[in-house]
Amino acid sequence: MESKAQAANAALPLGYYDKGYTPFYALQSEPRLSYCLYVPMDYKTDDDRIYPLVVLVHGTERGAHLYRDGFAEFAEQQKAIVLAPLFPCNLLFVGDQENYKLLRARDFRFDLSLLSMVDEVAARYRVQSDKFLLHGFSGGGHFAHRFLYAHPDRLSAVSIGAPGVVTLCNQTKRYPLGLEGMADYLGGEIKPDLIEQVPVQCVVGSKDTDTWEITVEPDELFWTPGINDTGRTRIDRLRSLATSLETAGCSVQFDLISGVSHDERGLVASVQAFLKDHLP
């Protein structure tokens, strides 16, 4: 339901750059982070339509606008607003590339920052912000499935694309391999008991078989004993994740896209078909 604050802010005039492919906006509560949008060109401030929200989380390459651009036609056809956050490298130290993938780095909560972006967009546009659709690819796939554990009540559906390292829905394995200690790591509760309410897509290319970037060594961020035992390739690891989610009661759609390597562009059609099925 639209709040009074949303209704008031939604009446603010929109400029030329506030529809279609928008610029990157600094997050007001944390200006080191930013996001861009795609807003359907026929969006009107004096209308009463409430737009679904689709959030797309980039991979390690940080091509947030490219993810957004790939969903522009989808946004126009489905009358949805697309939000693509940018979690920059070197945010906490030089060489800091992995920061957002575990949801927290040092005292920085990337999941809560995303929710702040959602609130900020909802204060400007008539968008359904209580629940949204989430897709992430590669590093964004890391973020997406861990966000599912922490905030399932905020998701209408989630699409998990080709993460290199997975956190299984297993309460006995140590985070980030499993959920034991995840709440302590985040400094707040997680809600794995609610994930069965969220439709899940696991999607990966059939040729996504390189292992050079996903084999974790003992001195690396994701290291915990057993972290490499979920599978040799991204395909294997995503199957392990899907199985653990199904065991927890989730409805999981596993899509192996023929002929596609580790390339988000080859998965877009499948992701969009899944999200379309779960638009509110």
Side-chain angles (χ1 to χ4, degrees), residues 110-224:
F110 292 89
D111 57 328
L112 299 184
S113 294
L114 175 60
L115 293 176
S116 293
M117 293 178 189
V118 170
D119 290 343
E120 194 167 291
V121 172
R124 190 77 195 278
Y125 299 90
R126 292 185 313 279
V127 67
Q128 183 174 342
S129 59
D130 56 337
K131 287 182 179 286
F132 52 88
L133 299 158
L134 174 64
H135 167 65
F137 173 74
S138 194
H142 282 245
F143 181 94
H145 78 280
R146 295 178 184 119
F147 189 94
L148 169 65
Y149 298 138
H151 307 283
D153 52 319
R154 298 301 302 273
L155 296 176
S156 299
V158 60
S159 170
I160 304 163
V165 181
V166 297
T167 296
L168 303 177
C169 189
N170 184 311
Q171 301 277 5
T172 67
K173 296 183 183 299
R174 189 72 183 168
Y175 192 66
L177 176 58
L179 300 182
E180 183 189 0
M182 183 178 180
D184 292 339
Y185 181 84
L186 294 180
E189 67 173 322
I190 61 174
K191 304 169 184 176
D193 54 319
L194 299 181
I195 65 172
E196 63 183 35
Q197 302 173 18
V198 183
V200 176
Q201 179 191 38
C202 291
V203 59
V204 63
S206 67
K207 292 186 177 181
D208 195 346
T209 55
D210 287 343
T211 61
W212 65 271
E213 194 177 19
I214 68 171
T215 301
V216 183
E217 302 297 337
D219 60 343
E220 294 179 334
L221 173 65
F222 297 103
W223 174 257
T224 193

